[in-house]
Amino acid sequence: MDTTTVDTRSETAMKQPAPISGEDVDQEQQNIRYELAILAFRLLDAEKAAAGVEPWVNSPDAYGKLLGCWQTENGPLGRLIVLRGFTDDAELLRERMRARASDRPFGAGDHLTDLTTQSFVPFPFIPPVQTGQFGPAYEIRDYHLRPGGLPATMVGWRKALPARHRIDPLTVVMYALDGPDRILHIWPFHSLDERVAIRRDLYASGLWPPPGGPEQILEATSVIAWPTQFSPLT
């Protein structure tokens, strides 16, 4: 069953990202959960891998809402990254159980070589993901934090993100529910050149990185990905 709680506004109205003030959003929005599914495939099978995703996430028995689907361009190649939102933990679990009970999750066929699903909680001051045309170059950054490093990370982001978001809008920042302490954040850019220029200016102006944030990072990875034709985030 598709849910509209994660994002109720029309696609045409979503020309600007939701503002971020650093204040906590309401509890219903804090209860939202995100799933990031990573589908691995042989390099020549991208079209076949993507073909099963849209029917899977829009199936009548599916839970949650498709927010984005990207194919990697830099970083690990031969990957589709699928972002979905859920109203709460229970809805995410129901959808995860649907996948576990299927012999073809995400429409997987012989062209898929691996499938990983990860669960995330948005930072408490982050509004729900808005879909719309914000890219088309999306950067997905994954930070493995030192144990216990999440609280200090969130404090730093709460202070620094509102100013950066006004210049360089964020799609989402969230922390992992399972595995080691991790945060994952997604940023859209009009081009790779724009990404380089914005990040250079943010560092030069002192608006980024967030205070105390880099000290918590043990390992960081970055992926550049392009939206598929059916991705609500483009």
Side-chain angles (χ1 to χ4, degrees):
M1 297 185 303
D2 189 25
T3 176
T4 57
T5 305
V6 174
D7 189 355
T8 58
R9 287 165 289 192
S10 68
E11 295 293 330
T12 56
M14 294 171 196
K15 301 301 183 184
Q16 297 295 327
I20 295 175
S21 67
E23 299 295 324
D24 285 356
V25 298
D26 64 49
Q27 191 59 55
E28 182 179 4
Q29 293 179 341
Q30 290 188 48
N31 289 341
I32 288 173
R33 299 294 180 259
Y34 295 107
E35 178 189 80
L36 199 76
I38 303 174
L39 288 68
F41 53 89
R42 295 184 293 269
L43 288 180
L44 297 180
D45 288 344
E47 187 174 342
K48 295 177 182 178
V53 174
E54 188 174 18
W56 172 264
V57 299
N58 291 327
S59 170
D61 60 344
Y63 295 89
K65 181 183 177 99
L66 176 66
L67 299 171
C69 182
W70 302 274
Q71 183 176 338
T72 57
E73 176 68 21
N74 295 94
L77 300 180
R79 302 289 190 276
L80 285 172
I81 299 175
V82 182
L83 177 68
R84 290 191 290 172
F86 301 85
T87 55
D88 53 27
D89 291 295
E91 187 179 53
L92 186 151
L93 179 60
R94 287 194 292 269
E95 180 63 7
R96 188 64 55 79
M97 295 302 292
R98 183 175 81 99
R100 290 290 184 257
S102 173
D103 61 356
R104 294 180 62 84
F106 289 86
D110 294 339
H111 48 275
L112 281 188
T113 59
D114 198 10
L115 170 63
T116 301
T117 51
Q118 305 167 0
S119 305
F120 292 89
V121 180
F123 282 18
F125 50 90
I126 297 300
V129 169
Q130 285 193 8
T131 54
Q133 186 174 355
F134 300 111
Y138 280 79
E139 182 178 22
I140 302 169
R141 296 178 72 92
D142 192 332
Y143 292 170
H144 178 179
L145 305 180
R146 69 172 185 83
L150 180 61
T153 298
M154 286 200 289
V155 168
W157 277 68
R158 188 188 293 271
K159 291 178 180 178
L161 184 59
R164 174 173 179 174
H165 183 67
R166 289 191 290 269
I167 300 170
D168 179 25
L170 172 79
T171 298
V172 70
V173 57
M174 49 195 180
Y175 63 89
L177 274 175
D178 36 36
D181 281 353
R182 292 169 54 224
I183 68 168
L184 188 138
H185 37 119
I186 301 175
W187 306 85
F189 298 95
H190 296 316
S191 69
L192 296 181
D193 287 343
E194 182 193 58
R195 172 189 173 273
V196 172
I198 287 177
R199 290 184 61 84
R200 181 182 60 237
D201 292 346
L202 287 169
Y203 276 77
S205 66
L207 290 176
W208 205 256
E215 293 84 349
Q216 313 305 322
I217 301 171
L218 296 179
E219 184 177 356
T221 61
S222 173
V223 169
I224 301 295
W226 303 100
T228 61
Q229 289 186 343
F230 58 86
S231 175
L233 278 165
T234 61

